Amino acid sequence: MPLCGDVDSGAFAGGNLAVAFVLPVMGGWYDHYGTSAAFRYVAVAPGVLAITFGVLFFYYRAAGGYKAVRIEADV
């Protein structure tokens, strides 16, 4: 775990910042639209993630893929 402040440690500890920002929005959808409509809104997230990671996959593949980098210390 990196030595950092509360905000950064929340980001590194499994995405707690995402939960803190998105969960109240999702709760509002549930309260305002009901259960089935809220699930329809939430079901969009996996599709967005699939498209995003697919674009990243093809971008890095076009750039040549993984390249090992050797890090040496100047001692």
Side-chain angles (χ1 to χ4, degrees):
M1 177 73 93
L3 300 174
C4 51
D6 291 337
V7 173
D8 292 337
S9 65
F12 286 114
N16 289 332
L17 282 177
V19 171
F21 290 119
V22 174
L23 204 57
V25 173
M26 290 171 51
W29 291 338
Y30 181 80
D31 291 340
H32 190 263
Y33 298 113
T35 308
S36 61
F39 284 128
R40 273 186 257 139
Y41 287 123
V42 174
V44 173
V48 171
L49 289 174
I51 291 169
T52 302
F53 287 118
V55 168
L56 285 173
F57 172 77
F58 288 113
Y59 168 76
Y60 288 123
R61 187 172 179 156
Y66 174 78
K67 295 179 182 95
V69 177
R70 184 177 177 126
I71 300 174
E72 298 180 12
D74 293 331
V75 179

